[in-house]
Structure formats: C-alpha cells, structure tokens
C-alpha cells in the first residue's frame, strides 16, 4: 500500500482554496467595503431600527408571492412603524397553500439577496436594481396602510434613482451593499425570531403558525429559517467575493 504524505512545501487543498478566496476577495475592495457597511448597518441597533423595514418589505413580499402562486386571494399587505408587517390572504384555513404562504416570509430576504448577488457578480447591476424596483412597485399595489405605502415609495425611489442616474461604479457599490444588507438582515431577523420565541414574545410568529398547521414543532421551522439564511449568506458571499 502506498501512502502519500504532504511534504514541507505542500499546502492542504482546503488551505489553498481559502488562500485563493482571500486573495480574490482582496482584489475586490469595493465589494468588501459594501459588506462591511451592510454589516455595520445590520449590527448597530440604531441603524437597524431605521432600515429593518426594508427587510420587512421583502419578508411580506415572500408571503404575498407564495399566496399568489398557490392560488390564494391576496387581499393586502400592511407595514407598521415598529418594523412589523402582516400579509392578508383568503382561501382554505389549512393545507399546503397556507403552509407555503407562511413558509415564504423569513427565507425571502436572504434568497433575494442571493439572487441579487448573482446578478451583481455577472455585472448586471442595473438589471438587478430595475428588477428590485419592479418588485417594489408590485408590492406597493397591495399595500393597505399609509406608513407601508410611504416606506415602499421611499425605498423604491431610492433604488430607481440609483438605477437611472448613478454612474456605473456607484451603482455597483449600492447594488452590492443592498445584497449584503438583505443577506445579513435576513439572518438577523431569524435570530430575533429565535430569541423572541425563547422569551415567549413571538407566540404568533410564522414558525408557531406553521407548527399549528403541520404539527411540526415551531423550533424546527425556526431552525429551517436559520439554515436557509446561513446558506444564503455563505453562497452570496462566495458569489460576490469570487
């Protein structure tokens, strides 16, 4: 039997891959700066309170999308000043359609961030920003309260302005920052869900609604949200930095 040993100058495959990734990331300072900026905004409580509504818009948009895709009647979306939101739909009180509607909320922000990262990495930042604007317009149509309409209008105006007027380098940094923000923000939202459930504060959360509908414990649904968010952050980071 032949045994191959690594010599003094050899590099383990994982270390070599990590080194290559770090070297590639170092060659993209704008993307790294966007990641740092988004992380600060998400981790700093004051800025998070001001920007969390953007994550809520994506969250409620996920509910609305699955309600439509599963044939439920979408009757409206409400966004509140405390950064919470609710999506109303009509249809059966049980069944896969309602399960998927509740399931679509927490994964939506990180998955949108991942989809945006793929477009940014392909140098399609303007396409990504116009798609985001279109999604915000579609959301606005279903908003049923003043604060929600104002929040979506301000967000949409900011994204559309950058897409239309900003030079390519500014547009690219903004788009990358938005992707990182949705990735990190989606992760923090799930963390807040898990912390609130442990304290008994979120008894009406999506995870608990899914538990009542399926019999699967709410903690497992929260863990699923966590896994999706972590996977999206890792995949999005890999795409943007590579």
């Amino acid at each position: 039997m032949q045994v191959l040993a690594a010599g003094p100058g050899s590099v383990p495959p994982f270390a070599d891959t990590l080194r290559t990734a770090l070297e590639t990331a170092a060659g993209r300072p704008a993307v790294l700066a966007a990641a740092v900026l988004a992380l600060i905004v998400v981790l700093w409580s004051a800025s998070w309170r001001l920007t969390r509504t953007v994550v809520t818009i994506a969250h409620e948009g996920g509910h609305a999308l699955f309600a439509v895709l599963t044939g439920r009647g979408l009757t409206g979306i409400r966004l509140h000043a405390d950064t919470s939101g609710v999506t109303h739909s009509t249809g059966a009180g049980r069944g896969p359609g309602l399960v998927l509607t509740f399931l679509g909320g927490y994964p939506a922000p990180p998955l949108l961030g991942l989809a945006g990262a793929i477009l940014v990495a392909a140098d399609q930042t303007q396409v990504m920003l116009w798609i985001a604007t279109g999604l915000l317009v579609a959301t606005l149509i279903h908003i049923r309260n003043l604060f929600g309409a104002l929040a979506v209008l301000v967000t949409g105006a900011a994204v559309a302005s950058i897409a239309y007027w900003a030079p390519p380098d500014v547009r690219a940094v903004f788009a990358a920052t938005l992707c990182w923000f949705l990735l990190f923000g989606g992760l923090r939202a799930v963390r807040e869900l898990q912390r609130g459930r442990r304290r008994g504060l979120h008894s009406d959360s999506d995870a608990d609604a899914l538990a009542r509908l399926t019999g699967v414990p709410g903690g497992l649904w929260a863990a699923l949200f966590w896994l999706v968010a972590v996977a999206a952050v890792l995949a999005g980071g890999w795409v943007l930095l590579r």
Side-chain angles (χ1 to χ4, degrees), residues 106 186-194 220-232:
Y106 280 98
L187 194 60
R188 174 159 182 174
V190 175
R191 178 174 174 269
E192 290 177 347
L193 168 68
Q194 290 183 312
L220 291 181
W221 289 111
L224 175 62
F225 297 154
W226 179 262
L227 287 174
V228 171
V230 170

Side-chain angles (χ1 to χ4, degrees), residues 100-147:
L100 288 172
T101 298
F102 277 111
L103 188 59
Y106 280 98
L111 291 180
L112 283 172
L114 175 57
I118 293 171
L119 289 173
V120 170
D123 293 325
Q124 298 295 322
T125 55
Q126 195 166 31
V127 172
M128 175 262 187
L129 292 174
W130 282 123
I131 289 175
T133 302
L135 292 173
L136 287 165
V137 170
T139 302
L140 180 62
I141 294 171
H142 298 284
I143 294 293
R144 295 294 181 267
N145 67 321
L146 181 60
F147 176 83

Side-chain angles (χ1 to χ4, degrees), residues 165-185:
W165 281 296
D169 53 344
V170 174
R171 195 165 60 227
V173 172
F174 178 85
T177 304
L178 180 58
C179 292
W180 284 115
F181 175 77
L182 288 171
L183 290 166
F184 293 143

Side-chain angles (χ1 to χ4, degrees), residues 64 67-68 70-76 87-92 101 142:
V68 172
T70 57
R72 297 182 63 80
L74 180 60
T75 56
T87 297
H88 297 284
S89 65
T90 59
T101 298
H142 298 284

Side-chain angles (χ1 to χ4, degrees), residues 12-24 238:
F14 175 77
D16 185 57
T17 301
L18 180 61
R19 183 185 65 186
T20 302
L22 291 174
E23 289 174 351
T24 304
W238 180 261

